[in-house]
Amino acid sequence: MKTTVSALCLAICASLCGSALASSHREAPNITRLPTVDSTDFYVFNSYEPNRSDYVTVLANYIPLQDPQGGPNYFALDPAAVYNIHIDQDGDAVEDLTFQFRFSQSLVNSNKGVQLPIGPAGQQKMIGVPLKHVGGLSAGNKAALNFEERYELSLVQGPSLTSPKTVIRSAEADGLFVKPYDYVGQKTFGDASQYQAYANQYQYEISIPNCPAKARVFVGQRKDPFVVNLGETFDLVNYVPVEGDSAPGAGDNGGFPGGITQNAANDDLRGKNITTLALELPKACVTGNGNGVIGAWTTASLPQSRLLNPKPGFNNSEKNGGASVQVSRLGQPLVNELVIGIADKDKFSGSAPKDDGQFADYVTHPSLPALLNILFRDAVNTTLGANIPDLAPSNFPRVDLVTAFLTGVPGVNQLAKVTPSEMVRLNTKIAATPAAMQSALGVAGNDLAGFPNGRRPGDDVVDIALRVMMGALCHDIPVNGQPTNLGVCKPVDAPVGNVPFTDGAPLDASMMDTSFPYLRTPLAGSPN
């Protein structure tokens, strides 16, 4: 697809307001108290698994910062919650399709659980065991599993709060889908390949209403795909966020003096898992009558009223009622975490894209560059022997970012109708780039199939965002291999806009699988 230089510019600009320094873990005060409904990352991309070019993959990750060894109850989803994946087909910032996930949990033996005869003959009592599993598990053999999660999948066609839903049934006896048990360790499941064989049996082929082609669904634990220097970033950026080598991975210390260099040890999520809600959907059935571009976001909701049971039991710890209240929302990464002011974070979590005009000031006047200026101006001037008065870009208001972030980019990822709103926008007509050819910098790396045209697991949104945040678009950037000034602002507007900012945590497509659901097998709770 042919794209103008200005459209490329705006596509890259979209990354600024949609991302920053970390993934969206624990991004708002209220959601920190509700980890089971905390959305961590949201990916929407044209499927690049071989022979699946007619499909779009959507991945919604929940429950942040899972330690693999975090037993004995591990990481069940909330049976009172509704988890949603919304798709806007026409650009009115109102969902046209919503895939809803509702979870339930049960114990064997009519919710009494596994019981063992305890005591001498004639004096035995049947006593329930304290564990969710009592022996080894494998593909086709779950006899030792004491606890199981299942989920109902539904499709709502139209506004999700007012339109009827259609239940999508599985081939299981009760029509529900099974969520595989978390990877508690190698004694229970064997090595990673054996756990993956176990989990794979819960990938389902499904029929979507009014769609002749089959789709796929999977819900289960995965290795957290995001990489970020999380702890040091939120310790007032406790590193020099500029590439310290002449090129990433060169190992020559030929870059910025004292700058951070690429090292997997800088990724604070390298030992963490997450829980993924994954769909692979036929393009023809999600684009509707639009122009081939879709917008998408994920939300989670809880009942308005929750009354705790003073005498709780399994599946009886509370009574829930009232209207469903949205408590979590995620489209592009880090909007709420590092763009929205702390006083409005919970409001953003409960808001809908059609109402995003109320947050416009956070986009036109982003505060993060000013914070970075406060933290690093004196050190940069000392290191360089310079006298830069302000490291932050000075081209205010950032109208170019409003256009890209809230409306999409003409010719790239703008929907048929333009309604300012925050969501991931994907042009389904732009062919997927094979994994081996993907650029971790997405559009900025001359790969139009990547971020911010949708988002793939291997797109390094952190480095992209840091550079754009500090004014990279005011300087020449490579377009089709040629240094090009995009004309949106001038070099004088961004004194450090040509600096290769980075958090030093490398990410690319080689760190992912190349088939659905793309995210790798979770880390074992017990590695041997």
Side-chain angles (χ1 to χ4, degrees):
M1 175 175 290
K2 294 182 178 179
T3 306
T4 65
V5 167
S6 61
L8 277 169
C9 160
L10 292 174
I12 299 169
C13 281
S15 67
L16 169 54
C17 297
S19 59
L21 297 180
S23 187
S24 297
H25 301 62
R26 299 173 57 83
E27 73 276 10
N30 188 48
I31 205 63
T32 62
R33 303 183 302 129
L34 305 166
T36 58
V37 289
D38 185 354
S39 50
T40 69
D41 282 288
F42 186 60
Y43 304 93
V44 185
F45 54 96
N46 291 312
S47 299
Y48 53 89
E49 178 180 345
N51 302 316
R52 304 296 287 186
S53 60
D54 291 333
Y55 290 83
V56 168
T57 296
V58 183
L59 309 174
N61 291 345
Y62 282 85
I63 313 182
L65 304 174
Q66 296 179 21
D67 290 322
Q69 69 274 20
N73 286 287
Y74 299 98
F75 303 98
L77 290 160
D78 191 334
V82 180
Y83 299 84
N84 300 296
I85 292 174
H86 306 278
I87 297 176
D88 177 13
Q89 298 174 323
D90 53 19
D92 62 358
V94 177
E95 62 273 11
D96 298 293
L97 302 174
T98 297
F99 292 88
Q100 293 187 340
F101 298 77
R102 290 177 169 85
F103 291 84
S104 60
Q105 55 190 31
S106 62
L107 298 175
V108 300
N109 191 23
S110 300
N111 279 341
K112 297 177 183 177
V114 172
Q115 296 180 328
L116 298 177
I118 305 298
Q123 301 180 39
Q124 289 182 336
K125 293 185 177 182
M126 298 301 294
I127 305 298
V129 303
L131 303 177
K132 285 187 171 181
H133 69 291
V134 296
L137 302 169
S138 64
N141 179 14
K142 62 177 184 178
L145 187 60
N146 193 20
F147 170 91
E148 187 169 61
E149 287 182 273
R150 292 176 176 264
Y151 60 97
E152 176 189 273
L153 176 62
S154 302
L155 175 64
V156 180
Q157 296 172 284
S160 59
L161 296 180
T162 58
S163 303
K165 71 177 184 180
T166 301
V167 176
I168 300 172
R169 295 183 61 83
S170 79
E172 303 283 344
D174 57 3
L176 299 178
F177 300 86
V178 176
K179 173 181 174 285
Y181 191 43
D182 290 347
Y183 192 8
V184 301
Q186 292 204 21
K187 184 175 181 179
T188 298
F189 283 107
D191 64 17
S193 65
Q194 290 171 292
Y195 179 82
Q196 190 57 43
Y198 161 79
N200 282 346
Q201 67 186 329
Y202 301 118
Q203 286 190 28
Y204 295 92
E205 189 175 77
I206 59 174
S207 296
I208 299 174
N210 305 315
C211 181
K214 297 289 187 180
R216 291 193 286 189
V217 64
F218 170 80
V219 175
Q221 192 180 50
R222 298 283 90 189
K223 166 71 178 70
D224 195 327
F226 200 76
V227 302
V228 64
N229 199 340
L230 187 61
E232 291 189 330
T233 292
F234 285 100
D235 183 20
L236 301 176
V237 192
N238 190 17
Y239 56 92
V240 178
V242 183
E243 179 59 58
D245 286 336
S246 60
D252 57 9
N253 293 316
F256 190 83
I260 194 167
T261 58
Q262 303 300 310
N263 191 318
N266 292 328
D267 173 24
D268 288 332
L269 304 185
R270 64 189 183 280
K272 306 295 184 181
N273 294 326
I274 43 77
T275 298
T276 299
L277 283 60
L279 290 167
E280 189 185 54
L281 306 169
K283 290 181 180 180
C285 300
V286 296
T287 52
N289 296 320
N291 62 355
V293 178
I294 59 172
W297 65 101
T298 184
T299 64
S301 301
L302 290 169
Q304 191 171 34
S305 174
R306 175 169 284 186
L307 183 65
L308 298 181
N309 186 349
K311 297 182 179 180
F314 180 78
N315 269 351
N316 190 31
S317 61
E318 64 201 32
K319 291 290 186 181
N320 293 284
S324 184
V325 177
Q326 181 180 306
V327 295
S328 178
R329 169 189 173 189
L330 180 59
Q332 297 202 48
L334 296 156
V335 173
N336 205 5
E337 198 160 27
L338 284 172
V339 175
I340 304 298
I342 194 167
D344 284 331
K345 287 180 181 294
D346 291 330
K347 179 187 287 189
F348 184 87
S349 291
S351 67
K354 64 183 180 62
D355 300 320
D356 281 346
Q358 64 186 313
F359 305 114
D361 286 350
Y362 292 116
V363 179
T364 60
H365 294 71
S367 61
L368 186 59
L371 293 174
L372 292 174
N373 175 66
I374 293 170
L375 291 171
F376 291 105
R377 180 187 60 193
D378 291 346
V380 166
N381 282 330
T382 298
T383 300
L384 299 180
N387 188 27
I388 302 171
D390 194 334
L391 302 182
S394 58
N395 50 315
F396 290 104
R398 305 293 292 269
V399 178
D400 55 335
L401 299 179
V402 173
T403 302
F405 174 58
L406 297 178
T407 66
V409 182
V412 180
N413 64 344
Q414 189 175 92
L415 283 96
K417 180 180 179 181
V418 179
T419 304
S421 52
E422 191 279 309
M423 62 183 73
V424 177
R425 291 175 171 87
L426 173 70
N427 189 333
T428 65
K429 295 180 179 179
I430 294 177
T433 302
M437 300 174 62
Q438 290 180 16
S439 169
L441 296 179
V443 172
N446 203 28
D447 182 1
L448 198 59
F451 186 77
N453 179 29
R455 182 188 176 194
R456 302 169 301 197
D459 290 338
D460 193 345
V461 298
V462 173
D463 284 5
I464 298 170
L466 276 170
R467 297 173 193 195
V468 175
M469 182 71 75
M470 297 307 293
L473 301 180
C474 298
H475 297 258
D476 288 356
I477 67 169
V479 176
N480 294 324
Q482 297 297 319
T484 304
N485 190 296
L486 302 177
V488 293
C489 48
K490 302 175 182 178
V492 69
D493 296 326
V496 295
N498 58 349
V499 171
F501 289 95
T502 180
D503 71 335
L507 172 66
D508 60 59
S510 70
M511 300 163 65
M512 310 297 157
D513 287 343
T514 56
S515 61
F516 181 81
Y518 294 93
L519 309 187
R520 288 193 166 170
T521 304
L523 302 173
S526 171
N528 44 42

